Amino acid sequence: MFSVQVTQQARGAVFALRGELDFDSMVQLYEAGDEELARGPEAGPVVADCARLTFCDSSGIGGLLRLFQQLAAQRRALRLAALPPSVARQFSVTGLDQVFPVYTDADQALAAGTGRHGAAPAATAQPAGGRNT
């Protein structure tokens, strides 16, 4: 089972992802994304808190990439936080850990500022899966 709990904060929105993000659960991510996109470009960055994400297949990665691109069109950022090791490995293998800014936790991702252009400064972002870059 998958769920997205959206919390609006002063510095942006946090999408708490729980369960298995796959083809069957993409509709929930799309709905949350559409609602967030409707808030407009002034709403700030979105943090996908993956601490309770137990599984993410290629459809899930594609859904996150779609949201990343849609937010970028509004000059907003999608930041990933607390990637479980198996998901971090997928992002590393595909090279997407170089596209998405990845942080240790949601608070750190929000503290990175209001960056409306995608990636945060390299000094703030944490490598996916704890690898050294």
Side-chain angles (χ1 to χ4, degrees), residues 9 11 14 47-50 80-82 103-112:
Q9 299 192 16
R11 294 180 285 182
V14 176
V47 174
D49 183 351
C50 301
L80 304 181
Y103 297 84
T104 303
D105 59 39
D107 289 335
Q108 184 188 53
L110 285 172

Side-chain angles (χ1 to χ4, degrees), residues 60-124:
I61 291 173
L64 290 169
L65 190 56
R66 175 185 172 198
L67 181 58
F68 177 89
Q69 292 168 330
Q70 290 172 319
L71 287 165
Q74 290 188 347
R75 301 181 58 82
R76 296 171 66 189
L78 175 62
R79 302 174 182 155
L80 304 181
L83 287 178
S86 62
V87 177
R89 238 180 339 272
Q90 288 177 301
F91 277 83
S92 177
V93 167
T94 60
L96 290 173
D97 61 341
Q98 302 301 310
V99 175
F100 289 91
V102 179
Y103 297 84
T104 303
D105 59 39
D107 289 335
Q108 184 188 53
L110 285 172
T114 59
R116 307 206 188 260
H117 303 289
T124 308

Side-chain angles (χ1 to χ4, degrees), residues 17 24 32 44 50-52 59-60 64 73 81 89 102 109 114 117 122 125-126 131-132:
L17 309 181
D24 294 329
C50 301
R52 295 196 173 139
S59 297
L64 290 169
R89 238 180 339 272
V102 179
T114 59
H117 303 289
Q126 298 295 311
R131 106 192 134 111
N132 293 325

Side-chain angles (χ1 to χ4, degrees), residues 13 15-16 18 31 39 41-42 46 57 60 66 72 85-86 90 94 106 108 111 117 119:
F15 285 21
R18 290 182 173 83
E31 288 172 354
R39 296 183 67 229
E42 297 305 314
V46 173
D57 69 5
R66 175 185 172 198
S86 62
Q90 288 177 301
T94 60
Q108 184 188 53
H117 303 289

